[in-house]
Amino acid sequence: MKNAYIWILRLITAGILLQTLFFKFTGAPESVYIFSTLGVEPFGRIGSGIAELIAAILILYPRTTTWGALLAAGVMAGAILSHLTVLGLEIMNDGGELFILAVVTFVCAILLIFEGKASLPFFRKS
């Protein structure tokens, strides 16, 4: 049962991360708007897309899930902070969808980190 729970978290997290790559890598208007508003277009858009791709791949591979979750949580923390401080919750009349996806991804990544913390050297007991 626990294995199914972990796989559900992995698939949700990686699925959201991978789904957004199309928009980042094709220069969709929403992505360009976000990263232009943040003052980091196009390098921030492409760089965050690469980080999200790496995180998704690491999450899907069981031995590296926790490392990918750490990366995903970091990227999503930046996205959430950007929404709360600069962008606002709603982007181009999306009803807050991008913000909600960032929060869901962040929460799933944090749960994966706690489930796999024993695999991280700085959480191991001596």
Side-chain angles (χ1 to χ4, degrees):
M1 185 67 162
K2 187 173 182 175
N3 196 28
Y5 164 72
I6 299 298
W7 270 106
I8 289 168
L9 290 175
R10 282 181 183 142
L11 292 173
I12 290 169
T13 308
I16 292 171
L17 291 170
L18 292 170
Q19 179 265 334
T20 62
L21 294 181
F22 173 79
F23 300 98
K24 285 191 172 86
F25 291 150
T26 62
E30 297 87 354
S31 287
V32 172
Y33 170 80
I34 289 168
F35 290 96
S36 294
T37 302
L38 296 173
V40 292
E41 171 64 28
F43 301 108
R45 176 173 52 83
I46 301 299
S48 69
I50 292 169
E52 290 175 14
L53 175 60
I54 292 168
I57 291 168
L58 291 173
I59 287 168
L60 290 173
Y61 184 62
R63 291 183 62 169
T64 59
T65 293
T66 311
W67 291 102
L70 279 169
L71 179 56
V75 174
M76 290 302 108
I80 292 167
L81 188 62
S82 295
H83 276 279
L84 294 175
T85 60
V86 179
L87 299 169
L89 300 183
E90 190 171 321
I91 304 294
M92 298 178 74
N93 300 316
D94 74 343
E97 183 180 352
L98 291 175
F99 177 73
I100 292 166
L101 288 172
V103 170
V104 169
T105 305
F106 179 78
V107 169
C108 289
I110 293 298
L111 292 171
L112 285 169
I113 292 166
F114 279 106
E115 288 295 328
K117 67 184 177 187
S119 68
L120 299 173
F122 44 87
F123 275 117
R124 287 189 194 134
K125 294 182 181 180
S126 305

